[in-house]
Amino acid sequence: MLRLHHQRGLSLLELLVSLVVFSIGLLGIAGLQMVSKQASYEGLQRTLASQVAYGLLEDMRTNGSGISVYVAANDLGGGTLAGLPVSQCRDPDTPCSPAQKAVHDIWYWERTVDGAAELGIEGQTGGILFPTVCVDGPAGGVAGVYLVSVAWRGGVELADPETSQCGAGSGNYGDGDRFRRVIQVGTFIDPNI
């Protein structure tokens, strides 16, 4: 009588194949996690840049008499404004002049892009990566269209944005500024209103 022996369980080869397939799946999940974190960080940078551009533009709109001070302060970011302004514009008994208010606003927004408000154990932890803030408008602080541009370093190479020259050629954004990201916001401001 001939007996047939039936195999039971998994062979070592089947186990290795399933382990390889499982490992490839885990690597794919890890890759998706990395891409997701990078996209989230890029979104955070863009959101902060947008808040700074709109905030600074709103300060310019409300302080029309000091508009020429805003335009004169160009290429902000990266700690270019070291100290606290002489007038902090907080004392209700001694109000600020429009120029003092403009200097304080510029100082505040530069600290925001640099992440000075977010401190960790080793120093500043927030802000935008290699920020540059540029303000453009008509000379002399007259009525016209004013633009606030915020440039920062992105994580992936792209074609250099042609919309603004803010931060271009500074060396912070790679060869040919291929890592440079720019958001630009503009509005019409009449300082006499």
Side-chain angles (χ1 to χ4, degrees):
M1 208 168 180
L2 188 61
R3 289 189 180 180
L4 294 173
H5 295 284
H6 294 288
Q7 212 175 5
R8 296 181 188 205
L10 297 174
S11 72
L12 187 57
L13 183 59
E14 290 168 333
L15 182 64
L16 287 174
V17 168
S18 61
L19 187 62
V20 166
V21 169
F22 182 70
S23 298
I24 290 172
L26 284 179
L27 286 174
I29 290 172
L32 284 174
Q33 177 79 17
M34 188 173 69
V35 168
S36 173
K37 284 188 93 154
Q38 186 175 22
S40 176
Y41 184 72
E42 287 275 340
L44 177 68
Q45 296 284 291
R46 183 171 300 280
T47 300
L48 185 54
S50 177
Q51 287 175 341
V52 167
Y54 279 105
L56 182 56
L57 205 56
E58 189 61 31
D59 284 344
M60 291 168 58
R61 189 178 300 130
T62 58
N63 186 15
S65 298
I67 198 85
S68 59
V69 176
Y70 293 101
V71 175
N74 217 350
D75 292 335
L76 302 172
T80 57
L81 299 177
L84 186 67
V86 174
S87 175
Q88 294 186 34
C89 300
R90 292 187 181 167
D91 186 8
D93 297 329
T94 52
C96 290
S97 70
Q100 289 172 326
K101 172 78 169 96
V103 168
H104 183 269
D105 291 342
I106 291 165
W107 172 81
Y108 172 80
W109 287 114
E110 182 185 47
R111 288 180 47 83
T112 301
V113 296
D114 289 342
E118 301 174 47
L119 298 176
I121 295 171
E122 297 181 12
Q124 297 173 357
T125 59
I128 299 175
L129 189 59
F130 295 110
T132 305
V133 179
C134 304
V135 181
D136 296 311
V142 298
V145 175
Y146 289 85
L147 299 171
V148 175
S149 304
V150 180
W152 70 96
R153 185 180 177 103
V156 180
E157 282 190 38
L158 296 174
D160 183 38
E162 300 286 333
T163 58
S164 171
Q165 290 302 311
C166 186
S170 66
N172 289 335
Y173 310 114
D175 292 335
D177 292 328
R178 295 190 96 30
F179 289 95
R180 186 170 72 108
R181 307 289 190 271
V182 177
I183 190 166
Q184 188 174 47
V185 180
T187 191
F188 180 85
I189 298 175
D190 187 351
N192 301 319
I193 295 178

